Amino acid sequence: MNEQLPSHFQAGLPDAAGNGLMDRRVLLKRGLVFGATAWLPVASAATSVDNIRNPDLARPQWMREPGREFSTYGAPARFEKDVARFTAPNRVMRNSGTSWTPLHLLEGTITPSGLHFERHHNGVPDIDPGAHSLLIHGRVDRALTFNVQDLLRYPQRSTTCFIECGGNSNAGWNKIPSQSQAGYFHGLVSNSEWTGIPLGVLFQEAGVKRGAKWVIAEGADAFAMHVSIPLEKILDDGMLALYQNGERLRPENGYPLRLVLPGWEGVVNVKWLRRLELSDQPVMARNETARYTDLLGDGTARMFSFVMEAKSLITSPSSGMVLKGGPGLYQITGLAWSGRGRVKKVEVSADAGKSWAEAELQEPILPRAFTRFRIPWRWSGAPALLKSRAIDETGYVQPERQALIDQRGRHGFYHYNGIVNWSVDEQGNLGHVYDELAAQQSGTPDIDADWD
Ligand SMILES: Nc1nc2c(c(=O)[nH]1)N[C@H]1C(S)=C(S)[C@@H](COP(=O)(O)O)O[C@H]1N2
Ligand SMILES: [Mo]
């Protein structure tokens, strides 16, 4: 039992799992009522009410002069400079590569637009919306061209969903556990509210011809990135997005037009969209053959694996952080998502997977979107191993790393969604480790990833 905890906190509910994982309902029922008291060890107690009248306390510098003027477009506080994307350009071709969302430094579920991860194959084009248009052609009754002004007149709708690169978490395949912070290891995924036009509406105008099964989507970047997408998905929930989190798309994320295919891997969400060609077959582009496919143990390739499987990640505490307050009460929190629909449950373990407790899921739980989970944990001061696993509404359970390796072999680079282990040492330092068995059996050298 922990000395620092007020007695009323411990009175009601028994622990939910081993090594100090508490019942998630503590956060709701008791936390709301006793929140301030229960977390008291974290705050420092005020010494006296008289302090409020002490002029030094009451009048810091920013209360002695008027604040600064209005601004036309806000920016984060200057003290928050560390909350930044981690940029990892290709060593040879610097306009190709990635930048990673600092998931470990964020809360809630929406990724601020300026921190949405980036994946470009040849830089961010500077597109004049007045000179940009979208062509729908191929197996249609009539080819149509839409300029951006035309498109803005169509009825729009919003969808909140994640976009995740098929190569996210690729360091999970490495022989040696990456010590990058959570976002710089798993942050090729972000979650936004996208607003735009359901593509089915535009396809109806063009008239889909018999035999059309695939849609070739092409972007207006210097790479002219293109991929093949089953027509069914486009008609089901494909969106031509114009807005991101309430404002027009950021240039990095596809301004002025991008394809959004909720739950499907990043590469098919074509940015700077300029062409949709209806076809009877896929085009077999570089990014659906040589890239974003998985070479399996038997030598065959797993291709067109569009749906991003369920995944979860403890964002705090996570690798590189320290449990500064010493033994005591902490909140474990993280994100879970599934390309198949809603997250049904997230389970957390503090004893290396021997026992699991259900975490609290923050409402609303949206399909194919980030779901925030939280659970209180009493750290004893002894070494611990934290894990989380997501279970989605189809019953799919996020696999252990070893299960993923058994299934896919050791030649993979993409589509890694194994359970992540954060280790805690006696000083409270967090790191990334593999389960012993998985570590022994991983024979191939680390992938020296260069995103091209
Ligand atoms: N035109 C174009 N679209 C593109 C890409 C690109 O390089 N060019 N990259 C793709 C890949 S691989 C991913 S993961 C997502 C990344 O979207 P984001 O940069 O908005 O996060 O965009 C996809 N769409
Ligand atoms: Mo990607």
Side-chain angles (χ1 to χ4, degrees):
M1 220 175 242
N2 192 303
E3 299 292 316
Q4 291 174 315
L5 277 178
S7 56
H8 70 256
F9 205 111
Q10 297 177 325
L13 298 157
D15 277 1
N19 202 16
L21 276 177
M22 298 169 74
D23 194 297
R24 70 188 196 282
R25 285 166 299 181
V26 164
L27 284 179
L28 281 190
K29 303 220 165 73
R30 291 171 178 260
L32 283 182
V33 183
F34 300 112
T37 334
W39 249 262
L40 198 61
V42 178
S44 45
T47 47
S48 149
V49 179
D50 278 350
N51 275 351
I52 289 166
R53 283 186 227 115
N54 177 331
D56 288 340
L57 176 70
R59 292 260 163 198
Q61 187 53 35
W62 45 86
M63 292 182 76
R64 295 173 192 267
E65 58 195 7
R68 68 169 157 74
E69 67 281 20
F70 300 94
S71 55
T72 53
Y73 198 101
R78 64 187 172 92
F79 303 99
E80 299 298 320
K81 290 217 163 47
D82 290 346
V83 184
R85 292 190 285 225
F86 175 80
T87 58
N90 178 293
R91 275 162 288 203
V92 179
M93 214 170 59
R94 298 188 61 80
N95 296 346
S96 183
T98 54
S99 78
W100 301 65
T101 297
L103 296 172
H104 52 291
L105 302 177
L106 301 176
E107 249 294 349
T109 56
I110 295 292
T111 310
S113 300
L115 293 175
H116 196 286
F117 86 90
E118 299 167 276
R119 170 80 179 104
H120 321 304
H121 288 81
N122 204 351
V124 180
D126 184 25
I127 299 178
D128 171 356
H132 183 82
S133 59
L134 170 68
L135 170 67
I136 297 180
H137 69 136
R139 291 191 174 240
V140 291
D141 295 332
R142 50 202 159 267
L144 295 174
T145 302
F146 301 87
N147 65 38
V148 178
Q149 279 312 313
D150 295 340
L151 290 168
L152 285 165
R153 293 177 55 196
Y154 279 81
Q156 301 188 35
R157 62 149 204 231
S158 299
T159 304
T160 298
C161 66
F162 71 83
I163 290 181
E164 179 175 23
C165 179
N168 190 26
S169 312
N170 67 298
W173 294 113
N174 287 0
K175 192 169 137 194
I176 296 162
S178 160
Q179 295 307 318
S180 299
Q181 294 163 86
Y184 307 148
F185 174 5
H186 300 281
L188 290 185
V189 61
S190 301
N191 193 62
S192 294
E193 185 203 61
W194 303 98
T195 303
I197 306 158
L199 269 165
V201 174
L202 304 183
F203 276 31
Q204 209 170 0
E205 258 185 67
V208 175
K209 271 205 172 133
R210 266 189 32 198
K213 287 197 179 68
W214 291 82
V215 179
I216 319 305
E218 184 185 80
D221 48 343
F223 188 72
M225 207 207 73
H226 57 291
V227 289
S228 315
I229 298 149
L231 173 63
E232 235 171 60
K233 172 68 175 176
I234 303 245
L235 296 178
D236 180 23
D237 61 358
M239 174 189 273
L240 181 63
L242 291 145
Y243 291 83
Q244 173 182 5
N245 298 328
E247 62 182 356
R248 293 290 292 278
L249 301 176
R250 289 291 170 95
E252 300 95 305
N253 306 115
Y255 183 84
L257 299 175
R258 101 172 284 171
L259 192 54
V260 171
L261 300 174
W264 282 28
E265 70 175 327
V267 69
V268 294
N269 293 257
V270 175
K271 302 189 282 190
W272 315 298
L273 189 67
R274 69 175 208 136
R275 195 167 71 85
L276 292 170
E277 179 184 350
L278 282 81
S279 170
D280 59 345
Q281 55 189 321
V283 73
M284 305 309 272
R286 175 180 185 265
N287 275 326
E288 59 202 28
T289 52
R291 301 290 185 276
Y292 296 103
T293 68
D294 305 301
L295 181 57
L296 302 177
D298 65 2
T300 60
R302 177 177 174 264
M303 297 172 70
F304 297 117
S305 56
F306 299 115
V307 178
M308 296 307 289
E309 301 282 20
K311 195 157 162 178
S312 71
L313 174 72
I314 295 173
T315 53
S316 176
S318 61
S319 186
M321 293 182 183
V322 187
L323 301 178
K324 287 212 182 76
L329 189 60
Y330 290 89
Q331 176 186 249
I332 293 176
T333 184
L335 294 166
W337 60 97
S338 166
R340 299 184 191 216
R342 287 183 173 79
V343 170
K344 193 177 79 190
K345 195 160 50 163
V346 176
E347 294 175 327
V348 174
S349 173
D351 56 9
K354 285 193 216 54
S355 64
W356 298 83
E358 203 175 327
E360 186 61 33
L361 302 185
Q362 178 174 285
E363 303 276 348
I365 300 166
L366 302 171
R368 303 178 178 92
F370 275 0
T371 300
R372 171 67 58 180
F373 66 87
R374 298 187 176 92
I375 189 163
W377 177 47
R378 216 172 43 236
W379 179 45
S380 69
L385 194 84
L386 306 177
K387 287 171 182 269
S388 68
R389 71 176 172 211
I391 298 147
D392 72 17
E393 62 184 343
T394 69
Y396 177 92
V397 183
Q398 181 183 5
E400 283 286 0
R401 181 170 183 276
Q402 187 57 52
L404 201 64
I405 289 173
D406 291 347
Q407 205 181 62
R408 300 255 200 87
R410 290 288 308 149
H411 305 296
F413 175 80
Y414 300 101
H415 307 111
Y416 184 92
N417 72 324
I419 289 173
V420 179
N421 299 333
W422 300 136
S423 58
V424 182
D425 71 13
E426 277 163 347
Q427 282 74 47
N429 299 304
L430 276 101
H432 177 218
V433 293
Y434 293 151
D435 289 327
E436 262 167 48
L437 183 66
Q440 285 162 9
Q441 291 187 357
S442 47
T444 53
D446 282 10
I447 299 157
D448 188 12
D450 215 1
W451 296 76
D452 54 359

